[in-house]
Amino acid sequence: MIDQHGRNINKLRISLSEVCNMACTYCVTSLSDHKRSPDELNSDQILYLVRLLKEHAGIEKVRLTGGEPLLYPEILNVISGISEMGIKSIGLTSNGQLLARKAKALAEAGLKNVNISLDSLDPEKFKLLGRVGKLHKTLEGIEECLKNGLLVKINMVVIKGENENEIVKMLEYGVDRGVEVRYLELMAMGPLYKKDDFKLLDMHEILSRISKKYSVKPVSADPDSTSLRYWVPGGFFGIIPNKSAPFCSTCSRLRLTSDGQLIGCLSNPSPVSIRHLLNHADPEEALKKLVKKSISFKQDAAFTGSSLVMSRVGG
């Protein structure tokens, strides 16, 4: 569906559940902040809404997020059901803690790619930033994904004074495995919204650190990509510069929450419920109007921040 800025909104991010088995410092204040919605959709309900969005709103690509999507008990049903609809681009964003034992089944169900959150290669720093979780589990998950033919990208949120000294090390880890590392600028969301001590390390500083050791050349990316891509000898990396070079003007995403609400824009996260369409005899026209309303909240400038916790709308 085309929005008021002429963008084709064809990507859907689904927060399967708000629960998570980690509590990253930039996401929540504690593990108890992750609470399962009492109205969480089951897999049949999710698939029904995805089919409506595919057939009547032009959704072509789906990414499953959370919270931690691997905690959703019916995730394989969701993946196989989306695949059977003819949607070929099915991705997952995960912290990787449960991937080692689930990667094979995920691939067999139809999953194509995985973005794995990995903010440190040091076990103690990993635990400090995530509050919960073990580094070796995420690393084992990456290896299992690669073994089972899944395309892997690593997402590293760079936090000034905390993990910036690992920027080059993370790049080398990725290059050695043929995995693209993407460095994310810190976003003013959830517990970081309007926080005085905002530890942003911007893209220019990230590039400067990498350029001191490697030759870096910019390369092309998809027109609606959130990432600026670069070549280094042996591989590629990306930077998602939400502050330094905002990508709102090319945003093609629509988000579906775990309880059936559409979120069109992170800066203006006004929910538009489509849950009631589960019981609608002829939902096509109603869905089109609701999608248009949701994407009307999309802006064409820079991200302005939000008190919304990312697990509510999907990472």
Side-chain angles (χ1 to χ4, degrees), residues 147-164:
K147 187 188 300 184
N148 285 280
L150 293 167
L151 176 65
V152 174
K153 291 183 180 179
I154 290 171
N155 288 344
M156 177 185 182
V157 177
V158 183
I159 306 172
K160 194 168 189 175
E162 296 192 24
N163 64 351
E164 61 190 284

Side-chain angles (χ1 to χ4, degrees), residues 197-214:
D197 183 22
F198 190 67
K199 301 177 180 180
L200 174 69
L201 191 88
D202 68 26
M203 65 174 290
H204 307 292
E205 295 174 274
I206 294 170
L207 284 171
S208 175
R209 286 174 176 266
I210 295 172
S211 298
K212 286 177 181 177
K213 187 167 183 180
Y214 295 104

Side-chain angles (χ1 to χ4, degrees), residues 28-29 76 174:
V28 290
T29 56
L76 296 179

Side-chain angles (χ1 to χ4, degrees), residues 90-257:
I90 307 173
L92 176 81
T93 297
S94 170
N95 60 35
Q97 291 291 287
L98 302 174
L99 267 175
R101 66 173 187 255
K102 296 191 176 187
K104 186 175 187 293
L106 292 166
E108 290 173 346
L111 189 69
K112 302 301 181 186
N113 60 81
V114 185
N115 291 350
I116 300 175
S117 300
L118 179 60
D119 298 327
S120 176
L121 290 168
D122 176 81
E124 292 303 316
K125 182 58 66 70
F126 181 92
K127 185 71 174 287
L128 183 65
L129 293 173
R131 294 196 180 98
V132 189
K134 298 182 184 299
L135 174 62
H136 73 87
K137 289 186 176 181
T138 295
L139 298 183
E140 289 165 4
I142 291 171
E143 299 303 328
E144 283 299 311
C145 285
L146 294 173
K147 187 188 300 184
N148 285 280
L150 293 167
L151 176 65
V152 174
K153 291 183 180 179
I154 290 171
N155 288 344
M156 177 185 182
V157 177
V158 183
I159 306 172
K160 194 168 189 175
E162 296 192 24
N163 64 351
E164 61 190 284
N165 63 329
E166 293 190 67
I167 290 172
V168 172
K169 184 179 180 181
M170 190 70 73
L171 175 62
E172 293 169 341
Y173 172 84
V175 168
D176 286 346
R177 289 158 181 78
V179 170
E180 186 168 318
V181 174
R182 301 190 305 175
Y183 302 98
L184 282 67
E185 287 187 349
L186 209 56
M187 294 182 72
M189 288 193 70
L192 301 184
Y193 183 52
K194 293 186 177 179
K195 187 175 180 181
D196 293 333
D197 183 22
F198 190 67
K199 301 177 180 180
L200 174 69
L201 191 88
D202 68 26
M203 65 174 290
H204 307 292
E205 295 174 274
I206 294 170
L207 284 171
S208 175
R209 286 174 176 266
I210 295 172
S211 298
K212 286 177 181 177
K213 187 167 183 180
Y214 295 104
S215 172
V216 176
K217 297 179 182 178
V219 295
S220 61
D222 293 337
D224 61 348
S225 174
T226 59
S227 176
L228 297 177
R229 294 184 74 232
Y230 300 88
W231 170 92
V232 290
F236 298 88
F237 71 92
I239 300 178
I240 300 180
N242 108 87
K243 181 74 172 177
S244 301
F247 42 79
C248 294
S249 63
T250 59
C251 179
S252 59
R253 295 176 180 174
L254 183 65
R255 287 175 160 85
L256 178 65
T257 67

Side-chain angles (χ1 to χ4, degrees), residues 19 44 75 138 140 167 210-211 232 270 274 280 285 292:
V19 296
D44 288 340
I75 188 169
T138 295
E140 289 165 4
I167 290 172
I210 295 172
S211 298
V232 290
S270 304
I274 60 171
H280 201 295
E285 290 305 314
K292 283 182 179 178

